[in-house]
Amino acid sequence: MDEIQQLWLSTGIANLDWGQALMMGVGCLLIYLALVKKFEPLLLVPIGFGALLCNIPVAGIGGPDGLIGQVYHVGIESGAFPLLIFMGVGALTDFSALIARPSTLLLGAAAQFGIFATLIGAVLLNGLPGFDFTMKEAASIAIIGGADGPTAIFLASRLAPDMLGAIAVAAYSYMALVPIIQPPIMRALTTQKERAVVMEQMRPVSRLERILFPFVVLILCALLLPSAAPLIGMLTFGNLLREAGVVERLSRAAQNEIINIVTILLGLAVGSKLSADKFLNLETLGILLLGAFAFCIGTAAGVVMGKIMCYATGGKVNPLIGAAGVSAVPMAARVANKVGQETDPHNFLLMHAMGPNVAGVIGSAVAAGLLLALIGP
Amino acid sequence: MDEIQQLWLSTGIANLDWGQALMMGVGCLLIYLALVKKFEPLLLVPIGFGALLCNIPVAGIGGPDGLIGQVYHVGIESGAFPLLIFMGVGALTDFSALIARPSTLLLGAAAQFGIFATLIGAVLLNGLPGFDFTMKEAASIAIIGGADGPTAIFLASRLAPDMLGAIAVAAYSYMALVPIIQPPIMRALTTQKERAVVMEQMRPVSRLERILFPFVVLILCALLLPSAAPLIGMLTFGNLLREAGVVERLSRAAQNEIINIVTILLGLAVGSKLSADKFLNLETLGILLLGAFAFCIGTAAGVVMGKIMCYATGGKVNPLIGAAGVSAVPMAARVANKVGQETDPHNFLLMHAMGPNVAGVIGSAVAAGLLLALIGP
Amino acid sequence: MDEIQQLWLSTGIANLDWGQALMMGVGCLLIYLALVKKFEPLLLVPIGFGALLCNIPVAGIGGPDGLIGQVYHVGIESGAFPLLIFMGVGALTDFSALIARPSTLLLGAAAQFGIFATLIGAVLLNGLPGFDFTMKEAASIAIIGGADGPTAIFLASRLAPDMLGAIAVAAYSYMALVPIIQPPIMRALTTQKERAVVMEQMRPVSRLERILFPFVVLILCALLLPSAAPLIGMLTFGNLLREAGVVERLSRAAQNEIINIVTILLGLAVGSKLSADKFLNLETLGILLLGAFAFCIGTAAGVVMGKIMCYATGGKVNPLIGAAGVSAVPMAARVANKVGQETDPHNFLLMHAMGPNVAGVIGSAVAAGLLLALIGP
Amino acid sequence: MNESTLLIESLRLMVIGMGIVYAFLLLLVGVLRLMSSLILRLAPEEALPLATTPTQSPSSAPDDLIAVIAAAVARYRRQH
Amino acid sequence: MNESTLLIESLRLMVIGMGIVYAFLLLLVGVLRLMSSLILRLAPEEALPLATTPTQSPSSAPDDLIAVIAAAVARYRRQH
Amino acid sequence: MNESTLLIESLRLMVIGMGIVYAFLLLLVGVLRLMSSLILRLAPEEALPLATTPTQSPSSAPDDLIAVIAAAVARYRRQH
Ligand code: NA
Ligand code: NA
Ligand code: NA
């Protein structure tokens, strides 16, 4: 009967602590949000399942000898996975709207205010008992306001790996909540007349412009902000593969095989950071609150900048497209379009909002690079 | 002429020993079986070619600096490849038949008797001169009776890596031989009347059931048998990707890109374990014999359990579908169908046999987890 | 204002040295050649972009902690990437023309004269001030004459990793220049009458021959020249996957997913070797000159061998197909066809030139193996 | 370990192993039946909104998320 | 670092950070406009031969390549 | 190694290298011809059952496998 005893001691029930059980519940909750509420399912399903698997007692799947622990080491500690996803994002993104109207980059810039305001928010939260964020942790939380999953994972894996799980979950959850979070802010900050502004059609963009665009962005980044170069570099590389026209095979590989395989592995690996001692504490609540704060501020800043550009151009810019500057491609652009059509059903803002939308991707990568240069690692 | 001498000494002929030559022959034989006899070609072609490559003298392709040696280290020693293949199996498998009729799990349980009986067989074989299996080796051999290639490779890589080559070859060979091995046993153990049993049609399975199924299996496994969690976890993760409906991209990646790439690399790496000193000994003969024994016992146990269920349900279960409990999806189910049609050509057992068939996959993963918990590593 | 100072010191401009700026220019030039001049874009776009990224100051993308530096370590230092590409080449290549007329292997042999003649050329160049190639470096340069990118990268990564960047760039550039470099040599060495030779149609090749072909090549290589076995082994493995007919999934993975993913990563990693101190020196000029020399000699040797075979067969072989023996599949075969049609527009040499063309791939892999056996590593 | 010890050991493994395999899969049979009957009762067919309908309902989700996590945190802190 | 230092630090970061983000993206606006106007002037639409036409023009390329690299080498050596 | 040694060495390499490349590929020519003629004689076209026909012949295979491996083992043991 010794074996029965040994076997009982090897069961999950005998070894399960409450933290693990709760975190398995959190994993199931994330999958529920993904499947039923359609919260970024491509990421939240693997993250949630990774949390489930890595909180199974005894098995050690997320440990140094387990599959997911090894994937984390190879793909996230090294920084490789978020960068490969950024390459795929570049290969999937059409920057034409931005090239046709470069001024929308300013909307992408304004929306990053959410990031820096949250930095202060995190420091202020330290005033409450139970919160004690370092500067690196504050910066990692703030980047949630960039509304860009891979950027958030990249920065957090460098500055605050212990918080990676909570930050990734918050980043993707809020990206999914864009259609809920943004519209009230957008309506509150704009007048009926502003929301009705019809923008003039964009000029067509030549192939040569689209091919030179990645080089212009990369070289400016290399000269001024090299710490953002890994992110911007892979983004522009993917975009060049897309636009080059002569490397179809590679473009398809970046848009499909690589990004899909990496997404599965990255999701599972991020899930391995959802352990009770790292996630079930007051700081996670702080991260969720600050993340929501960052999102709201970013949206508001984008809309305000849109209003400024509206005045400056004599009413040629609809301020609603400023909200798309947070990135969350293409959902934020769709939200801008939808809120616009509430006022005027015949006003199609989608294409106009794509400019600030993709500008937001560049803007948050730039902000991440800045934080890396100023704070760490 | 010094160089000619040096060159001669660097040729394969000058360095070839008989063991290598014979193992290259074994590699060619495996490829012959794969191409002409259609023995699991997806695995046996890479395994056979891996054996060819790794037995080339001087080149050291399977050594620590060679390509295949490195692949072995990264993918098999770490346990990653079999688990990724299990994810793909999950994404490729429809568990509906099992959900509609959960009692077929008992057939999948019975068929695992082949594994545990073989454990005893291996220990008894130690009575003969030339055999000296340890408990870990006996368990690794016994798992061949699970009729599941990745499970066998996973367990053997943990408990008896030196025998991995022979075990993998035996596992895949016997899986391919299911149509030869099983029918005589099935006919011998059943009466004409039993084989003619027509089963009632299965109820349809709702989407929600199919989505909850992986969670039920995983959580039960996590609570009771966490050592089986890596295998069951990746299987259920793959299945969730399949059934979720909102992560088509990831499901396709698991079903195609990942499983295909990993199969090529896993096959080559397994082939690197087919070296003369590890393979050309009496123990390999023992492994082959025990493997066949395990298969036969597993089939018989499944059929007997089928007969018990037939009596218990008053003749509602055709005992032939019990043979499908060994797994070897979907070949064993097809065999059950075919043997049934020998008696009644209008009796379609295929769908009914899919239940025990996929139950066998779960059953052998559970058995592998048990062996890990009780014996090693 | 301390932070401004710190920030300025972290910019690229403040840290850029001229070497990096020039190498970024070289990267852009390579991409220009790829996009506009259609120089092997599948390789030169990633190589050029890799050079851009790895010469960004401060970022360290090509360093030991950077993404591309890590990819280099995992994929090129280990030799894995060129071998995986060779597997893909095997899966993409139809060797029927060679099987139907094995004598064309002699044309593939002759064209390797470019490699060995260049070895002497490199040693002679040492007579000039500023050049000091070791034997290993000379061999790595000489292999450019093999007109086979992955073979060149494989050999250079083993014998002269510091020169890898320049050698890979030269190899792919000259492969792209085949339509410019070869025709004048071909015209100069042949008479009008020889160029007009019409070759008789090839016999059909049975499936069995195509399946046995990889084994014959591999086993001969294993017995006589095992140092070439990694290259030849992966080439023949890929070809077996293609011809087997029962492993379609794996064949497609080798032809698409694996080769595409590896090409992107290999290109970026090769680009990381394009650093100013390794590339911007006199030796690179030497490499480029010797590469061109190797190409011309190889072409000439192939044509001369073609003439010999023309005499020996009483005019049944068109000497132009000898030029295709350098490999550069399928461009060199197309060039032979085109030059032939200048004389007789109805003379289709393409299929006849495919024999020496694929023979050249085997020939240069054999030559690379020989150099490894005789010189290093 | 000598031979007869191995044999006894392997017999033991067989009994325990098959016992647990059966126990585990029997339990799974029960749980699966329970699951199916619960689903049939609580969410009869075609009532499930999953994925087929482009749901517009994440309206209450942020509160959900924070509420559930807050509860989980509270519970966890009580235990430790 | 105590709390008020952290606060001052983060305020500083905000000012510098937003400043640089704006500066960088403003510069990018300018460079992109410059690029587009240059392209419009030097290579008006449909004049670009890229990829659509199966160009036959690599005729002068080998010299190009060697010439450019030679110039780069020369320049580099002068600097070092 | 001084320069003239290197030169002699490289000349040697050239002679040996080209010699072996030719020898190897000539041998390959011979073996490929042999293969083709054997196939033509022993398995004339369309007689090969490979893959096109869904063969039902693995009936004797298990014995095959064990027999061949047994023979291989026996042979190996005699050598060692
Ligand atoms: Na953003
Ligand atoms: Na099984
Ligand atoms: Na060649």
Side-chain angles (χ1 to χ4, degrees):
Chain A
M1 291 304 91
D2 210 40
E3 241 129 9
I4 295 282
Q5 170 74 0
Q6 185 194 335
L7 209 65
W8 165 250
L9 288 178
S10 80
T11 63
I13 297 183
N15 291 278
L16 190 73
D17 63 37
W18 271 102
Q20 289 170 322
L22 287 171
M23 289 315 296
M24 289 175 81
V26 171
C28 289
L29 172 70
L30 292 175
I31 297 171
Y32 170 82
L33 293 174
L35 297 191
V36 179
K37 305 276 181 184
K38 307 281 170 300
F39 273 33
E40 298 276 330
L42 290 176
L43 265 298
L44 287 194
V45 168
I47 291 178
F49 216 93
L52 256 179
L53 291 177
C54 295
N55 282 289
I56 294 176
V58 184
I61 303 177
D65 290 333
L67 174 65
I68 299 183
Q70 292 174 16
V71 168
Y72 182 87
H73 176 69
V74 168
I76 301 212
E77 245 171 64
S78 72
F81 283 171
L83 293 177
L84 290 174
I85 289 195
F86 236 57
M87 177 173 78
V89 170
L92 286 162
T93 304
D94 179 356
F95 283 98
S96 296
L98 180 59
I99 302 170
R101 200 176 276 147
S103 58
T104 54
L105 275 166
L106 298 181
L107 298 167
Q112 310 316 317
F113 186 64
I115 293 175
F116 293 100
T118 306
L119 207 59
I120 295 178
V123 170
L124 287 178
L125 210 59
N126 278 351
L128 297 183
F131 292 101
D132 189 21
F133 296 121
T134 66
M135 205 58 180
K136 290 185 181 185
E137 290 170 342
S140 304
I141 297 167
I143 200 72
I144 297 172
D148 191 277
T151 301
I153 292 172
F154 183 75
L155 195 72
S157 71
R158 253 112 207 83
L159 295 184
D162 276 358
M163 289 186 167
L164 177 62
I167 288 171
V169 165
Y172 283 106
S173 298
Y174 291 125
M175 281 165 70
L177 290 174
V178 155
I180 316 299
I181 295 176
Q182 290 198 321
I185 301 170
M186 293 158 77
R187 288 188 209 105
L189 291 176
T190 50
T191 64
Q192 179 90 3
K193 200 181 135 209
E194 284 169 338
R195 289 201 292 277
V197 167
V198 177
M199 296 179 69
E200 56 187 48
Q201 223 193 315
M202 277 186 284
R203 68 172 180 85
V205 171
S206 73
R207 229 172 85 68
L208 188 54
E209 283 174 283
R210 278 182 284 137
I211 287 177
L212 290 182
F213 173 77
F215 293 96
V216 167
V217 176
L218 177 63
I219 286 171
L220 211 63
C221 168
L223 293 182
L224 297 179
L225 210 62
S227 53
L231 283 166
I232 294 287
M234 292 310 281
L235 183 78
T236 52
F237 177 53
N239 193 241
L240 178 65
L241 293 182
R242 172 198 180 86
E243 303 295 352
V246 288
V247 289
E248 262 312 301
R249 286 177 77 104
L250 306 187
S251 174
R252 260 184 291 120
Q255 287 177 25
N256 294 292
E257 287 88 338
I258 294 178
I259 203 172
N260 292 345
I261 294 172
V262 170
T263 299
I264 289 178
L265 297 177
L266 173 127
L268 290 174
V270 166
S272 76
K273 286 286 156 184
L274 290 177
S275 62
D277 56 327
K278 306 273 168 60
F279 191 81
L280 288 185
N281 51 42
L282 211 53
E283 299 200 327
T284 296
L285 274 187
I287 291 172
L288 290 171
L289 288 173
L290 288 168
F293 174 74
F295 239 80
C296 297
I297 299 283
T299 302
V303 175
V304 169
M305 186 72 203
K307 287 168 75 90
I308 295 174
M309 285 178 71
C310 182
Y311 289 123
T313 58
K316 286 187 167 172
V317 172
N318 188 317
L320 291 176
I321 69 168
V326 296
S327 43
V329 184
M331 196 142 17
R334 282 199 205 127
V335 167
N337 186 56
K338 200 170 144 250
V339 175
Q341 292 187 331
E342 288 169 7
T343 305
D344 174 1
H346 301 296
N347 190 4
F348 292 96
L349 290 173
L350 189 63
M351 270 316 290
H352 303 290
M354 283 311 294
N357 209 188
V358 297
V361 177
I362 296 174
S364 48
V366 165
L370 257 174
L371 290 172
L372 270 180
L374 292 171
I375 295 176
Chain B
M1 291 302 92
D2 210 38
E3 242 131 9
I4 296 283
Q5 170 75 1
Q6 184 195 336
L7 209 66
W8 165 250
L9 288 178
S10 79
T11 62
I13 298 184
N15 291 279
L16 190 73
D17 63 38
W18 271 102
Q20 290 169 321
L22 287 171
M23 290 314 297
M24 290 175 80
V26 170
C28 289
L29 172 70
L30 292 175
I31 298 171
Y32 170 83
L33 292 174
L35 297 191
V36 179
K37 305 276 181 184
K38 305 282 170 299
F39 273 34
E40 298 276 330
L42 291 176
L43 264 296
L44 286 193
V45 167
I47 291 178
F49 216 93
L52 257 178
L53 291 177
C54 294
N55 280 288
I56 295 176
V58 184
I61 301 176
D65 291 333
L67 174 65
I68 298 183
Q70 292 174 15
V71 169
Y72 183 87
H73 176 68
V74 167
I76 302 214
E77 247 170 63
S78 72
F81 283 170
L83 293 177
L84 290 174
I85 288 195
F86 236 56
M87 177 174 78
V89 169
L92 287 163
T93 302
D94 179 355
F95 283 97
S96 295
L98 180 59
I99 301 170
R101 199 177 277 148
S103 57
T104 54
L105 275 166
L106 298 182
L107 297 167
Q112 310 314 318
F113 186 65
I115 294 176
F116 294 99
T118 305
L119 208 59
I120 295 178
V123 170
L124 287 179
L125 210 59
N126 278 353
L128 297 182
F131 291 102
D132 189 21
F133 296 122
T134 67
M135 205 59 181
K136 290 185 181 185
E137 290 170 343
S140 304
I141 297 167
I143 201 71
I144 297 172
D148 192 278
T151 301
I153 291 172
F154 184 75
L155 194 73
S157 72
R158 253 112 208 85
L159 296 183
D162 276 359
M163 287 185 169
L164 178 63
I167 288 171
V169 165
Y172 282 107
S173 298
Y174 291 125
M175 282 165 69
L177 290 175
V178 155
I180 315 300
I181 293 177
Q182 290 198 320
I185 300 169
M186 294 158 77
R187 286 187 212 108
L189 292 175
T190 49
T191 64
Q192 179 88 4
K193 201 182 134 208
E194 285 170 339
R195 290 201 292 277
V197 168
V198 176
M199 294 179 70
E200 56 188 47
Q201 223 191 315
M202 277 186 285
R203 68 174 179 84
V205 171
S206 74
R207 228 174 85 68
L208 188 54
E209 283 175 282
R210 277 182 286 136
I211 287 177
L212 289 182
F213 173 77
F215 293 97
V216 167
V217 176
L218 177 62
I219 286 171
L220 211 65
C221 168
L223 293 182
L224 297 180
L225 211 62
S227 53
L231 284 166
I232 294 287
M234 293 310 280
L235 183 78
T236 51
F237 177 53
N239 193 241
L240 178 65
L241 293 183
R242 172 199 182 85
E243 302 296 351
V246 288
V247 289
E248 262 311 300
R249 285 176 76 104
L250 306 186
S251 174
R252 260 183 292 119
Q255 287 177 25
N256 294 292
E257 287 88 339
I258 295 179
I259 203 172
N260 291 345
I261 294 171
V262 170
T263 298
I264 290 177
L265 297 177
L266 172 125
L268 290 175
V270 166
S272 76
K273 286 285 155 183
L274 291 176
S275 62
D277 56 327
K278 305 273 169 59
F279 191 81
L280 289 184
N281 51 42
L282 211 52
E283 298 199 327
T284 296
L285 273 186
I287 292 172
L288 290 171
L289 288 173
L290 288 167
F293 174 74
F295 239 81
C296 296
I297 298 285
T299 302
V303 174
V304 168
M305 187 71 202
K307 286 168 76 92
I308 294 172
M309 286 178 70
C310 183
Y311 290 121
T313 58
K316 284 186 168 173
V317 172
N318 187 317
L320 291 177
I321 69 169
V326 296
S327 46
V329 184
M331 198 148 9
R334 281 197 207 130
V335 167
N337 187 57
K338 200 169 147 251
V339 175
Q341 293 187 331
E342 287 170 7
T343 305
D344 173 1
H346 301 297
N347 190 4
F348 291 97
L349 292 172
L350 190 63
M351 271 315 291
H352 304 291
M354 283 311 293
N357 209 187
V358 298
V361 177
I362 296 175
S364 47
V366 165
L370 258 174
L371 290 173
L372 271 179
L374 292 172
I375 295 177
Chain C
M1 292 303 93
D2 210 38
E3 242 131 7
I4 295 282
Q5 170 75 1
Q6 185 196 336
L7 210 65
W8 165 249
L9 288 178
S10 80
T11 62
I13 298 183
N15 290 278
L16 190 73
D17 64 37
W18 272 103
Q20 290 169 321
L22 287 172
M23 289 315 297
M24 290 175 81
V26 171
C28 290
L29 171 71
L30 292 175
I31 297 170
Y32 170 82
L33 293 174
L35 298 190
V36 180
K37 304 277 180 182
K38 305 282 172 299
F39 273 34
E40 299 277 329
L42 291 176
L43 265 298
L44 286 193
V45 168
I47 290 178
F49 216 92
L52 257 177
L53 290 177
C54 294
N55 282 289
I56 294 176
V58 183
I61 302 176
D65 291 332
L67 175 65
I68 299 183
Q70 292 174 14
V71 168
Y72 183 86
H73 176 68
V74 168
I76 303 214
E77 246 170 63
S78 72
F81 283 172
L83 292 177
L84 290 174
I85 289 195
F86 236 57
M87 177 173 77
V89 169
L92 286 162
T93 303
D94 179 355
F95 283 98
S96 296
L98 179 58
I99 300 170
R101 199 178 274 147
S103 58
T104 54
L105 276 166
L106 298 181
L107 298 167
Q112 310 314 319
F113 187 64
I115 294 175
F116 294 100
T118 306
L119 206 61
I120 296 179
V123 170
L124 287 178
L125 210 59
N126 278 351
L128 296 183
F131 293 103
D132 190 22
F133 297 122
T134 65
M135 205 59 181
K136 289 185 181 185
E137 291 171 343
S140 304
I141 298 167
I143 201 72
I144 298 172
D148 191 277
T151 300
I153 291 172
F154 182 76
L155 194 72
S157 72
R158 252 113 209 84
L159 296 183
D162 277 358
M163 288 184 168
L164 178 63
I167 287 171
V169 166
Y172 282 106
S173 300
Y174 290 127
M175 280 165 71
L177 290 175
V178 154
I180 316 301
I181 294 176
Q182 289 199 322
I185 300 169
M186 292 158 79
R187 287 187 210 108
L189 290 175
T190 49
T191 64
Q192 179 87 7
K193 202 183 136 208
E194 285 169 337
R195 290 200 292 277
V197 168
V198 177
M199 294 179 70
E200 55 187 51
Q201 222 192 317
M202 275 186 287
R203 68 173 179 86
V205 170
S206 74
R207 228 173 85 68
L208 187 55
E209 283 176 284
R210 278 182 285 137
I211 288 178
L212 290 182
F213 173 77
F215 293 97
V216 167
V217 175
L218 176 62
I219 286 172
L220 211 63
C221 168
L223 293 182
L224 297 180
L225 212 63
S227 53
L231 285 166
I232 294 287
M234 293 309 281
L235 183 77
T236 52
F237 177 53
N239 192 241
L240 178 64
L241 294 182
R242 172 199 182 85
E243 302 295 352
V246 289
V247 290
E248 262 312 300
R249 285 177 77 105
L250 306 186
S251 174
R252 260 183 290 119
Q255 288 176 25
N256 294 292
E257 287 88 337
I258 295 179
I259 203 171
N260 292 345
I261 294 172
V262 169
T263 298
I264 289 177
L265 298 177
L266 173 127
L268 290 174
V270 166
S272 77
K273 286 284 156 184
L274 291 176
S275 64
D277 56 327
K278 303 275 167 60
F279 191 81
L280 289 184
N281 51 41
L282 210 54
E283 298 199 328
T284 296
L285 274 186
I287 291 170
L288 290 171
L289 289 172
L290 287 168
F293 174 74
F295 239 80
C296 297
I297 298 283
T299 303
V303 175
V304 168
M305 187 71 202
K307 287 167 75 92
I308 294 174
M309 286 177 70
C310 183
Y311 289 122
T313 58
K316 286 185 167 172
V317 172
N318 188 318
L320 291 177
I321 69 169
V326 294
S327 44
V329 183
M331 197 146 13
R334 282 198 205 127
V335 167
N337 187 56
K338 199 169 146 251
V339 175
Q341 292 187 332
E342 287 169 7
T343 304
D344 173 2
H346 301 297
N347 190 3
F348 291 98
L349 291 173
L350 189 62
M351 270 315 291
H352 303 291
M354 283 311 292
N357 209 187
V358 298
V361 178
I362 296 175
S364 46
V366 165
L370 258 174
L371 290 172
L372 272 180
L374 293 172
I375 294 176
Chain D
M1 234 188 284
N2 73 6
E3 219 162 284
S4 68
T5 330
L6 260 186
L7 188 60
I8 292 168
E9 178 65 16
S10 63
L11 274 166
R12 232 190 198 164
L13 274 177
M14 187 179 79
V15 173
I16 295 178
M18 276 312 286
I20 293 176
V21 167
Y22 260 103
F24 182 83
L25 294 182
L26 258 173
L27 199 59
L28 190 53
V29 171
V31 178
L32 285 177
R33 286 214 172 123
L34 187 71
M35 173 189 91
S36 292
S37 68
L38 280 179
I39 287 176
L40 213 68
R41 209 166 302 166
L42 304 180
E45 287 159 86
E46 305 314 284
L48 75 161
L50 273 149
T52 35
T53 46
T55 173
Q56 205 53 269
S57 56
S59 30
S60 65
D63 316 83
D64 274 0
L65 181 67
I66 289 174
V68 172
I69 289 171
V73 168
R75 179 133 200 196
Y76 180 74
R77 294 171 77 84
R78 239 179 296 138
Q79 305 286 339
H80 290 260
Chain E
M1 235 188 283
N2 73 6
E3 221 162 282
S4 69
T5 331
L6 260 186
L7 188 60
I8 294 169
E9 179 66 15
S10 64
L11 275 165
R12 231 190 199 164
L13 273 178
M14 188 180 78
V15 174
I16 294 179
M18 277 313 284
I20 292 176
V21 167
Y22 259 105
F24 181 84
L25 294 181
L26 258 174
L27 199 60
L28 190 53
V29 171
V31 178
L32 285 177
R33 285 213 172 126
L34 186 71
M35 174 189 90
S36 292
S37 68
L38 279 179
I39 287 175
L40 213 69
R41 207 165 303 163
L42 304 179
E45 286 161 87
E46 305 312 285
L48 75 161
L50 271 150
T52 36
T53 46
T55 172
Q56 205 52 268
S57 55
S59 31
S60 65
D63 314 84
D64 276 359
L65 181 67
I66 290 174
V68 172
I69 290 171
V73 169
R75 181 133 198 196
Y76 180 73
R77 293 172 77 85
R78 241 179 293 138
Q79 308 284 340
H80 290 260
Chain F
M1 235 189 280
N2 73 5
E3 219 164 283
S4 68
T5 331
L6 259 187
L7 188 61
I8 292 168
E9 180 65 16
S10 64
L11 275 166
R12 235 190 195 163
L13 273 177
M14 186 180 81
V15 173
I16 295 178
M18 277 311 285
I20 292 176
V21 167
Y22 259 104
F24 182 84
L25 293 181
L26 259 174
L27 199 58
L28 190 53
V29 171
V31 178
L32 284 177
R33 285 211 171 128
L34 187 70
M35 175 189 89
S36 293
S37 68
L38 280 179
I39 287 176
L40 212 69
R41 210 166 300 166
L42 304 179
E45 288 160 86
E46 305 312 286
L48 76 160
L50 273 149
T52 35
T53 47
T55 172
Q56 205 51 268
S57 55
S59 32
S60 63
D63 314 86
D64 276 358
L65 181 66
I66 291 175
V68 171
I69 290 170
V73 168
R75 180 136 199 193
Y76 180 73
R77 294 172 76 85
R78 240 179 295 135
Q79 307 285 339
H80 290 261

